[in-house]
Amino acid sequence: MLVPLNRRITSHPILEFPREKSVAFMFEGKRIEAYEGESIAAALYASGLKTFTRSYKRNRPRGWFCGIGKCSSCLMTVNGIPNVRTCIVPVKEGLNVRRQKQGLGTLPSSLYENPEVEKFDVELAVIGGGPAGLSAAITAKRLGCSTLVIDENFKAGGQLIKQTHKFFGSKENYAGVRGIDIAKILLKDLNELGGNWLLSSTVAADYIEGGKHVLIVPSLVEPKIRVIKAETVVVGTGARENMLIFPNNDLPGVYGAGGVQTLMNVFGIKPGERALVVGAGNVGLIIAYQLIQAGTSVEAIVEAMPRIGGYFVHAAKVRRLGVPIYLRHSIKRAIGKESVEAAEIVQLDENWNPVEGTERRIEVDTIVLAVGLTPASEIPAQAGCKLTYVPELGGQVAIHDPDLKTTIPGMYVAGDSSGIEEATTAMLEGRIAGADAALSLGYKPDEAERLKEKAKRDISEFRESPFGERPRKGKEKVWSMMEAIS
Amino acid sequence: MEYDGGDIMKEAGILSKEEIEKVTPPLDRAEKGPVAVIECLEKIPCDACGWACPFDAIIKERITVPPKIDYDKCTGCGQCVLVCPGLAIFLIELDGEKAKVTVPYEFLPEPRVGQEVVALDRRGLPVTKAKVLKVMRSKDKTLAVTIEVPRELFMEVRGIRI
């Protein structure tokens, strides 16, 4: 229930939250004060609400989880429209928001009968405005190609806009620059080149008509559908967070790592007071550090493997802050009725089975899952690309070649949606795909070829690291599959 | 938490004795003035320190080869401390019974020169009280905080708490 609580962070060592304009909306008859630029779900969380929806059968509470429109834990009815992903819809003065009975919305009879339909053409449509998509658009636009970046979110930049840490990599690939600042650079580059944007818009379908891609793109904020004809398409839709199976894993207070970053680093909202992080890969280690920067104490990190998965330097950073990392440990269950009140962790034996008697209760209100990502391959799947399951790449991906071309002519994949890796390689893959798309349309062939080859060299150097071995193997697998097909 | 996850957890994210020896600069060099200590031994793809150094004292043979330092060229300016994405570079300086240690810091409140802070070891455990001598700042808000500690703690102190 709503309690008079403000979870907004007012001072942060790295970030500033200007909160210039306040807006108010109605939530189940109650007035909620929020700030322009916040999502509905974020504003509700800031005001103290934890239960966003209920499960259909057992009426179990569900709350914030992914924060980027990839799960269904925040569906509400907004101005009569059911099943709105409130985490990616911005607050607006006077909105009327309510939760849905048993989590289900009721379809209105007339609202969407005559949506406005807008049609236009573009040479390169980029789906997803994160590091891969932005880099693809910038590269193609620079070569002379007309581009349009489509993103579901109302803020551009994908996951870069919540990465407060400095990136590794090489100087020309922004080593030592914070992700949030890389986002600013890429957005500025694209805007200066005159690249077009379509935010708050979701690609519902991609089909081929007369040798061209036709994208059906409904707006998430107005009754409008765009029908976009594109010569080429780069899919840079990123990934979704993996779930971990344990009792009460659906309780409000159990969040995906990216979801927590969205709350604290995009919206400046403190996720909770005390947290347990599950997973000591780079994401888990970075999250722990950022939680402490946001004012949340991190009680422990548990990692099922007998070693840290992420970089030693990231682990050293959180150890210096006094955070214990329990290797060969996992979460056994979350404890709580309406939201997380504690977590039980347990040691694992060599066969990953819990060791009886090693259970410990940790008093936390926040459990952060950093247990990997799965590529978002829905659009290539729907478009008819041949997919394959590659464990090294995190799941189902469109089979592609080193130029990121899929089995559907004119369609590319890049970044995490082509295989889980990280942001620097996503930018490089975006450059390769963008350059190849421009090249295929005949734009500045020499220059395009040069840019593509340079990005390929950079990416293979990057993957020489032992940390790059797994994705490299995965990529080699899909490349050889692609070769076998063609 | 009192619970001790066993040896396996104690080592996670902590340099071993041998590794600490490996990254320790020659003491006679550290007596002469501040010098960088690079606690980055893994083959991670990064060369931020290499180009951040104004004196070419940090050598990156390849992006995935850990940095090497030329102690004669290093002036202890601290640019690398402010840039390193792993926050894995520190400065040390030995001065009689005292040592100056510079650590990266990205938390609030910001330390002030002259303030007394708690010096922490690699496990985040308090080892001594220390005075803040200097605070450097990068344009992207990383601080490099120099504190004074007893000489014998120069390779132990790696953090501060205010």
Side-chain angles (χ1 to χ4, degrees):
Chain A
M1 278 294 91
L2 285 180
V3 287
L5 176 73
N6 191 339
R7 295 178 167 275
R8 288 182 181 85
I9 299 163
T10 49
S11 58
H12 188 283
I14 307 299
L15 296 163
E16 274 160 44
F17 304 106
R19 301 193 179 109
E20 276 149 11
K21 201 177 159 211
S22 59
V23 289
F25 64 97
M26 295 304 286
F27 173 71
E28 299 179 353
K30 219 171 163 164
R31 196 181 138 92
I32 302 285
E33 302 281 347
Y35 293 94
E36 204 172 71
E38 290 180 340
S39 72
I40 295 170
L44 288 171
Y45 193 91
S47 74
L49 186 81
K50 275 204 156 178
T51 300
F52 289 175
T53 183
R54 295 259 168 196
S55 72
Y56 175 63
K57 268 195 178 169
R58 291 170 182 265
N59 206 38
R60 290 175 60 85
R62 299 276 161 86
W64 183 275
F65 183 77
C66 82
I68 51 166
K70 306 244 190 207
C71 75
S72 56
S73 284
C74 70
L75 300 186
M76 295 187 205
T77 297
V78 179
N79 284 356
I81 301 166
N83 300 339
V84 170
R85 290 176 286 172
T86 55
C87 69
I88 55 168
V89 172
V91 291
K92 232 171 58 186
E93 188 70 36
L95 284 182
N96 188 355
V97 180
R98 47 184 61 252
R99 285 175 288 190
Q100 304 176 157
K101 261 197 188 140
Q102 289 180 297
L104 296 179
T106 319
L107 215 55
S109 54
S110 63
L111 262 176
Y112 269 53
E113 254 174 27
N114 292 304
E116 191 188 326
V117 178
E118 195 182 34
K119 294 186 177 182
F120 51 92
D121 293 8
V122 70
E123 286 169 320
L124 170 63
V126 175
I127 309 174
L134 283 174
S135 303
I138 290 166
T139 307
K141 185 76 190 161
R142 220 168 246 160
L143 291 164
C145 199
S146 69
T147 63
L148 171 72
V149 179
I150 306 160
D151 200 290
E152 287 189 323
N153 285 274
F154 58 97
K155 289 178 197 277
Q159 306 311 299
L160 283 176
I161 63 170
K162 52 203 76 165
Q163 310 305 330
T164 51
H165 59 283
K166 297 177 190 188
F167 276 41
F168 295 84
S170 62
K171 185 176 186 186
E172 48 204 348
N173 292 308
Y174 313 108
V177 182
R178 298 189 192 282
I180 46 172
D181 295 326
I182 298 175
K184 284 179 199 153
I185 296 168
L186 296 180
L187 292 169
K188 188 168 166 265
D189 283 355
L190 185 58
N191 288 335
E192 281 174 2
L193 289 163
N196 290 315
W197 277 100
L198 204 50
L199 293 173
S200 291
S201 301
T202 192
V203 174
D206 174 304
Y207 60 91
I208 308 277
E209 197 182 74
K212 285 188 181 184
H213 286 263
V214 179
L215 306 177
I216 309 298
V217 189
S219 162
L220 296 176
V221 289
E222 52 184 345
K224 198 168 191 175
I225 295 174
R226 270 101 173 181
V227 178
I228 300 160
K229 259 192 190 161
E231 307 276 346
T232 56
V233 175
V234 172
V235 178
T237 45
R240 81 172 56 76
E241 305 206 51
N242 291 345
M243 212 350 143
L244 192 67
I245 308 296
F246 57 90
N248 280 340
N249 67 357
D250 61 340
L251 269 187
V254 179
Y255 308 128
V260 157
Q261 279 189 315
T262 307
L263 261 185
M264 62 187 182
N265 295 346
V266 176
F267 297 117
I269 295 165
K270 201 169 158 179
E273 297 305 317
R274 294 156 67 88
L276 168 74
V277 174
V278 182
N282 276 333
V283 173
L285 297 170
I286 287 169
I287 282 292
Y289 186 79
Q290 294 178 357
L291 278 163
I292 298 168
Q293 287 180 315
T296 300
S297 101
V298 177
E299 300 301 305
I301 301 174
V302 289
E303 168 58 58
M305 299 284 282
R307 61 191 148 71
I308 288 166
Y311 297 164
F312 172 87
V313 291
H314 278 320
K317 244 160 68 172
V318 293
R319 289 302 307 272
R320 291 203 294 274
L321 296 168
V323 178
I325 302 175
Y326 297 130
L327 300 174
R328 272 208 201 285
H329 275 68
S330 191
I331 181 168
K332 191 174 179 192
R333 61 187 178 115
I335 298 162
K337 280 209 172 91
E338 283 296 299
S339 66
V340 171
E341 292 159 25
E344 197 174 271
I345 63 167
V346 67
Q347 199 180 324
L348 304 176
D349 67 17
E350 273 155 35
N351 302 311
W352 316 97
N353 295 316
V355 179
E356 225 177 289
T358 61
E359 293 86 357
R360 302 268 158 166
R361 183 186 159 110
I362 307 184
E363 303 301 323
V364 291
D365 59 5
T366 304
I367 296 169
V368 184
L369 301 182
V371 292
L373 300 161
T374 299
S377 297
E378 295 87 349
I379 291 166
Q382 177 277 325
C385 291
K386 284 209 170 78
L387 303 190
T388 183
Y389 179 82
V390 186
E392 292 91 339
L393 298 179
Q396 291 272 352
V397 293
I399 294 175
H400 57 270
D401 69 6
D403 290 338
L404 286 314
K405 270 196 210 92
T406 68
T407 54
I408 296 281
M411 182 172 265
Y412 298 78
V413 281
D416 273 356
S417 63
S418 78
I420 303 302
E421 205 164 352
E422 48 88 82
T424 302
T425 49
M427 289 187 274
L428 290 167
E429 284 194 333
R431 273 181 228 164
I432 297 170
D436 196 77
L439 190 64
S440 75
L441 300 171
Y443 284 105
K444 299 186 190 160
D446 295 347
E447 176 73 357
E449 197 68 56
R450 194 187 61 77
L451 287 173
K452 195 170 86 174
E453 291 314 313
K454 167 81 176 101
K456 279 186 179 175
R457 274 199 307 278
D458 284 359
I459 209 165
S460 72
E461 199 184 355
F462 202 90
R463 286 179 184 146
E464 277 174 19
S465 155
F467 292 90
E469 198 181 313
R470 204 174 140 80
R472 189 181 68 231
K473 274 189 186 156
K475 287 287 173 180
E476 280 164 3
K477 272 190 192 174
V478 292
W479 295 342
S480 68
M481 285 181 209
M482 188 69 180
E483 225 176 87
I485 294 167
S486 51
Chain B
M1 260 182 35
E2 313 109 69
Y3 176 55
D4 176 340
D7 286 347
I8 201 167
M9 96 80 179
K10 282 186 197 155
E11 299 318 316
I14 307 288
L15 285 184
S16 69
K17 253 188 189 161
E18 297 71 42
E19 287 167 331
I20 291 174
E21 265 168 38
K22 205 172 159 187
V23 300
T24 305
L27 298 189
D28 55 342
R29 169 63 190 83
E31 300 272 5
K32 284 183 200 152
V35 65
V37 178
I38 306 184
E39 302 196 354
C40 172
L41 298 166
E42 266 179 340
K43 293 180 176 174
I44 53 179
C46 183
D47 66 4
C49 55
W51 55 262
C53 179
F55 306 101
D56 294 325
I58 302 178
I59 307 124
K60 287 286 299 182
E61 281 164 20
R62 254 185 114 64
I63 188 171
T64 48
V65 172
K68 289 194 187 94
I69 181 160
D70 183 334
Y71 292 114
D72 295 327
K73 284 188 185 169
C74 174
T75 67
C77 71
Q79 284 310 304
C80 52
V81 180
L82 294 171
V83 165
C84 173
L87 305 187
I89 309 185
F90 308 85
L91 303 178
I92 59 157
E93 182 182 357
L94 298 173
D95 185 9
E97 292 304 299
K98 301 277 182 194
K100 291 172 191 165
V101 178
T102 303
V103 300
Y105 189 75
E106 296 184 325
F107 294 91
L108 292 178
E110 287 187 6
R112 297 182 318 272
V113 172
Q115 189 179 7
E116 191 173 86
V117 297
V118 179
L120 307 171
D121 67 7
R122 292 186 177 81
R123 292 181 170 81
L125 300 172
V127 282
T128 182
K129 282 181 181 162
K131 205 170 85 176
V132 175
L133 301 176
K134 192 177 158 190
V135 179
M136 281 191 292
R137 180 188 304 270
S138 74
K139 59 179 193 306
D140 63 359
K141 296 191 175 183
T142 301
L143 305 183
V145 183
T146 307
I147 55 171
E148 189 175 67
V149 298
R151 182 186 173 103
E152 64 272 18
L153 295 176
F154 79 101
M155 283 306 284
E156 225 171 285
V157 167
R158 285 298 176 267
I160 58 163
R161 191 168 65 209
I162 294 167

